[in-house]
Amino acid sequence: MVCSFIHRLVKETIPAYLQALPLSKNTEELAKMNPDEMIFLGTVFVASIIFLVGMWSMLPGSGGAKNTGKVNHRVKLNEPKGVDTIPVPEQMAKANKEGKLVMCRCWKSKNFPYCDGSHNDHNKATGDNVGPLILPIAK
Protein backbone atom coordinates (compact mmCIF):
# COMPACT_ATOMS: atom_id res chain seq x y z
CA MET A 1 0.00 0.00 0.00
CA VAL A 2 2.77 2.44 0.92
CA CYS A 3 4.74 1.48 -2.18
CA SER A 4 1.75 2.07 -4.45
CA PHE A 5 1.16 5.47 -2.81
CA ILE A 6 4.79 6.50 -3.37
CA HIS A 7 4.73 5.14 -6.92
CA ARG A 8 1.58 7.10 -7.74
CA LEU A 9 3.00 10.23 -6.10
CA VAL A 10 6.30 10.10 -8.01
CA LYS A 11 5.01 8.82 -11.36
CA GLU A 12 1.65 10.60 -11.61
CA THR A 13 0.82 13.28 -9.05
CA ILE A 14 4.05 15.28 -8.97
CA PRO A 15 4.57 15.28 -12.78
CA ALA A 16 0.95 16.35 -13.33
CA TYR A 17 1.37 19.15 -10.79
CA LEU A 18 4.61 20.35 -12.35
CA GLN A 19 3.11 20.32 -15.85
CA ALA A 20 0.23 22.47 -14.63
CA LEU A 21 2.55 25.18 -13.27
CA PRO A 22 2.42 28.35 -15.36
CA LEU A 23 6.12 28.33 -16.31
CA SER A 24 7.22 30.56 -19.16
CA LYS A 25 9.92 29.60 -21.65
CA ASN A 26 11.06 33.16 -22.30
CA THR A 27 10.54 36.77 -21.17
CA GLU A 28 7.73 37.35 -23.67
CA GLU A 29 5.67 34.54 -22.13
CA LEU A 30 6.54 35.82 -18.67
CA ALA A 31 5.21 39.27 -19.61
CA LYS A 32 1.92 37.70 -20.78
CA MET A 33 1.23 35.97 -17.44
CA ASN A 34 -1.75 37.31 -15.53
CA PRO A 35 -1.29 38.55 -11.94
CA ASP A 36 -2.84 35.40 -10.43
CA GLU A 37 -0.37 33.17 -12.31
CA MET A 38 2.54 35.35 -11.21
CA ILE A 39 1.43 35.29 -7.56
CA PHE A 40 0.99 31.51 -7.69
CA LEU A 41 4.39 31.00 -9.29
CA GLY A 42 6.01 33.39 -6.78
CA THR A 43 4.44 31.48 -3.90
CA VAL A 44 5.75 28.16 -5.26
CA PHE A 45 9.20 29.72 -5.71
CA VAL A 46 9.32 31.16 -2.16
CA ALA A 47 8.05 27.90 -0.62
CA SER A 48 10.71 25.96 -2.56
CA ILE A 49 13.48 28.29 -1.34
CA ILE A 50 12.28 27.99 2.28
CA PHE A 51 12.18 24.19 1.97
CA LEU A 52 15.67 24.01 0.44
CA VAL A 53 17.19 26.34 3.06
CA GLY A 54 15.57 24.25 5.80
CA MET A 55 16.96 21.05 4.32
CA TRP A 56 20.39 22.61 3.87
CA SER A 57 20.49 23.73 7.50
CA MET A 58 20.06 20.12 8.64
CA LEU A 59 23.04 18.80 6.66
CA PRO A 60 26.20 18.04 8.64
CA GLY A 61 28.69 20.88 8.40
CA SER A 62 26.10 23.31 7.06
CA GLY A 63 26.32 25.72 9.96
CA GLY A 64 22.96 24.66 11.37
CA ALA A 65 22.45 23.80 15.04
CA LYS A 66 25.16 21.47 16.27
CA ASN A 67 24.19 18.38 18.23
CA THR A 68 26.27 19.09 21.33
CA GLY A 69 23.86 17.44 23.74
CA LYS A 70 22.72 20.85 24.90
CA VAL A 71 19.03 21.50 25.49
CA ASN A 72 19.28 25.28 25.47
CA HIS A 73 20.49 26.89 22.24
CA ARG A 74 19.04 30.40 22.60
CA VAL A 75 17.88 31.51 26.06
CA LYS A 76 20.15 33.36 28.53
CA LEU A 77 23.28 31.88 26.98
CA ASN A 78 25.55 34.42 28.73
CA GLU A 79 24.37 33.33 32.18
CA PRO A 80 25.81 30.35 34.11
CA LYS A 81 22.31 28.94 34.58
CA GLY A 82 19.13 30.06 32.82
CA VAL A 83 16.60 30.47 35.63
CA ASP A 84 13.29 32.36 35.49
CA THR A 85 11.13 33.37 38.45
CA ILE A 86 7.34 33.95 38.33
CA PRO A 87 5.22 34.46 41.51
CA VAL A 88 2.33 31.97 41.91
CA PRO A 89 -0.72 32.13 44.23
CA GLU A 90 -0.38 29.81 47.25
CA GLN A 91 -3.36 27.59 46.40
CA MET A 92 -1.90 26.73 42.97
CA ALA A 93 1.40 25.34 44.07
CA LYS A 94 3.08 22.33 45.62
CA ALA A 95 5.91 24.26 47.25
CA ASN A 96 9.29 22.96 48.35
CA LYS A 97 10.79 23.67 51.79
CA GLU A 98 11.82 27.18 50.76
CA GLY A 99 8.24 28.09 49.71
CA LYS A 100 8.96 27.83 45.98
CA LEU A 101 7.54 25.71 43.19
CA VAL A 102 10.55 24.57 41.14
CA MET A 103 9.66 23.25 37.68
CA CYS A 104 11.93 21.13 35.47
CA ARG A 105 13.00 22.55 32.10
CA CYS A 106 15.69 20.03 31.17
CA TRP A 107 13.32 17.04 30.80
CA LYS A 108 15.69 14.89 32.88
CA SER A 109 14.03 15.09 36.32
CA LYS A 110 12.98 11.80 37.90
CA ASN A 111 10.22 13.84 39.59
CA PHE A 112 8.98 15.57 36.40
CA PRO A 113 7.38 18.12 36.07
CA TYR A 114 9.10 19.17 39.29
CA CYS A 115 12.85 19.82 39.31
CA ASP A 116 15.07 17.36 41.16
CA GLY A 117 18.38 19.02 40.21
CA SER A 118 19.13 16.64 37.30
CA HIS A 119 20.03 19.67 35.20
CA ASN A 120 23.26 20.06 37.23
CA ASP A 121 24.70 16.76 35.91
CA HIS A 122 23.40 17.54 32.43
CA ASN A 123 25.06 20.99 32.50
CA LYS A 124 28.40 19.51 33.64
CA ALA A 125 28.30 16.81 30.96
CA THR A 126 27.31 19.08 28.04
CA GLY A 127 28.39 22.61 28.96
CA ASP A 128 24.73 23.65 28.82
CA ASN A 129 23.28 26.21 31.23
CA VAL A 130 19.69 24.97 31.54
CA GLY A 131 18.04 25.61 34.89
CA PRO A 132 14.59 25.33 36.48
CA LEU A 133 11.62 27.65 36.39
CA ILE A 134 11.23 28.90 39.96
CA LEU A 135 7.77 30.04 41.05
CA PRO A 136 7.82 31.71 44.48
CA ILE A 137 4.57 31.21 46.36
CA ALA A 138 2.84 34.57 46.79
CA LYS A 139 1.19 34.83 50.19
Side-chain angles (χ1 to χ4, degrees):
M1 185 164 143
V2 172
C3 288
S4 65
F5 170 76
I6 292 171
H7 181 269
R8 191 171 49 253
L9 183 69
V10 171
K11 292 288 193 174
E12 299 170 16
T13 307
I14 292 175
Y17 173 76
L18 293 174
Q19 287 177 346
L21 286 177
L23 300 174
S24 55
K25 294 177 185 161
N26 53 46
T27 53
E28 290 88 30
E29 286 183 17
L30 184 63
K32 293 177 186 176
M33 292 176 79
N34 68 45
D36 288 338
E37 289 174 326
M38 293 185 99
I39 289 171
F40 177 75
L41 199 54
T43 304
V44 169
F45 177 74
V46 169
S48 299
I49 295 298
I50 291 170
F51 174 77
L52 292 173
V53 167
M55 291 286 101
W56 174 79
S57 70
M58 288 190 261
L59 293 174
S62 66
K66 305 287 186 259
N67 184 5
T68 60
K70 287 187 172 186
V71 174
N72 180 20
H73 295 279
R74 58 189 178 124
V75 179
K76 299 184 180 185
L77 295 177
N78 294 328
E79 296 182 19
K81 188 182 292 183
V83 177
D84 291 305
T85 303
I86 303 170
V88 174
E90 187 174 4
Q91 63 272 18
M92 292 179 63
K94 174 186 167 187
N96 65 11
K97 294 173 193 141
E98 293 85 34
K100 298 174 184 174
L101 179 61
V102 185
M103 305 301 294
C104 176
R105 292 196 298 186
C106 72
W107 295 92
K108 300 191 180 299
S109 173
K110 307 275 186 296
N111 193 25
F112 193 85
Y114 304 104
C115 177
D116 67 358
S118 294
H119 59 273
N120 292 317
D121 292 337
H122 166 78
N123 289 348
K124 285 178 190 169
T126 64
D128 208 346
N129 73 336
V130 67
L133 172 64
I134 299 175
L135 306 162
I137 307 306
K139 299 199 180 201

